[in-house]
Amino acid sequence: MAMAMAPRRALRAAVGAPARQATTAAAFFGTVSSTKAATTPSRVPRVLPRPRIIATSALQQQRRAVVGGVVGGRGTTTRWSSSSSSSSSSGSDSAPAGSSSNKIWTFEEIRDLTSSPTAKPNVTIIDVREPGEIASTGRIPGAVNIPVTSAPEAFHADAADFEDRFGFARPPADAEVLFYCKAGVRSRAAAGLARDAGWVRVGEYPGSWADWVAKGGKVER
């Protein structure tokens, strides 16, 4: 009898061994997975800072643009910088044809205007370069000076303050004004400022002083 039971116990032990091994393996790997999950740090989503919105008036933006070296007419922005080989009082700039809202003057038209100023008595020619530049090169005959880089607020000054500062009467709002500089960039800025200050008959000479001298225009000193 005892001998008959021995083969049965051996058979049960052989059948149960794989099951016990599988259970032990599952428990082992389950423990390893849970430990790895517990030690893996969770990712924290990044929160981007909200953009700052700074509101400024149109006049402040124009002043910063001109003084900072970025100038442009209405609807147009052009970057310019002074030449490193020029003195601190002279600017180096260049520009394509002007804003579509301004009258564009040619060399021939300005030459005829300065030769016979009585033909258009209400046209005021304004040189917007710095005084030091004008002193070294001269100006287009009959032109007055408003340095747009150092005095961009001039167009918004009242009549008395304007005359005290620049030495000539502020052009009336219905007068035609014509701006030029060294090569057309600052004159475009001045034209935009003049329009915002109330002038509607605004013109610019894109070639400006560089074109005037190259074509043999008369020089007033």
Side-chain angles (χ1 to χ4, degrees):
M1 182 68 176
M3 294 179 62
M5 300 240 353
R8 293 180 183 177
R9 285 196 292 270
L11 179 62
R12 285 198 297 271
V15 172
R20 287 194 299 273
Q21 291 174 353
T23 302
T24 302
F28 173 76
F29 287 111
T31 302
V32 172
S33 299
S34 62
T35 303
K36 182 178 180 181
T39 57
T40 301
S42 60
R43 292 185 177 181
V44 179
R46 295 180 61 189
V47 179
L48 298 177
R50 299 181 64 182
R52 295 178 60 191
I53 300 177
I54 303 175
T56 57
S57 68
L59 178 57
Q60 288 175 326
Q61 291 175 348
Q62 288 175 329
R63 288 177 178 176
R64 290 174 182 175
V66 176
V67 175
V70 180
V71 295
R74 184 179 294 272
T76 306
T77 301
T78 306
R79 187 174 298 275
W80 71 275
S81 60
S82 296
S83 171
S84 59
S85 61
S86 301
S87 64
S88 60
S89 63
S90 64
S92 175
D93 49 11
S94 60
S99 170
S100 59
S101 59
N102 300 328
K103 177 181 177 180
I104 303 305
W105 289 73
T106 65
F107 168 81
E108 291 75 18
E109 290 173 328
I110 299 176
R111 180 193 59 194
D112 294 343
L113 175 64
T114 55
S115 299
S116 180
T118 56
K120 287 190 174 182
N122 288 330
V123 178
T124 302
I125 304 175
I126 303 174
D127 188 326
V128 298
R129 295 177 295 165
E130 295 300 304
E133 295 178 75
I134 298 173
S136 64
T137 65
R139 69 181 78 195
I140 292 175
V144 294
N145 179 225
I146 301 176
V148 68
T149 301
S150 58
E153 73 285 352
F155 300 95
H156 295 270
D158 60 40
D161 290 341
F162 185 97
E163 187 167 3
D164 287 344
R165 184 168 184 181
F166 300 107
F168 62 94
R170 186 177 189 265
D174 61 346
E176 187 171 3
V177 289
L178 163 60
F179 296 98
Y180 77 92
C181 56
K182 182 177 181 180
V185 174
R186 286 172 287 177
S187 60
R188 184 184 303 177
L193 292 171
R195 282 190 172 278
D196 287 336
W199 281 275
V200 294
R201 301 173 65 195
V202 177
E204 54 181 296
Y205 177 19
S208 285
W209 184 253
D211 183 66
W212 181 260
V213 173
K215 292 180 178 178
K218 293 182 179 180
V219 177
E220 179 183 282
R221 295 185 180 274

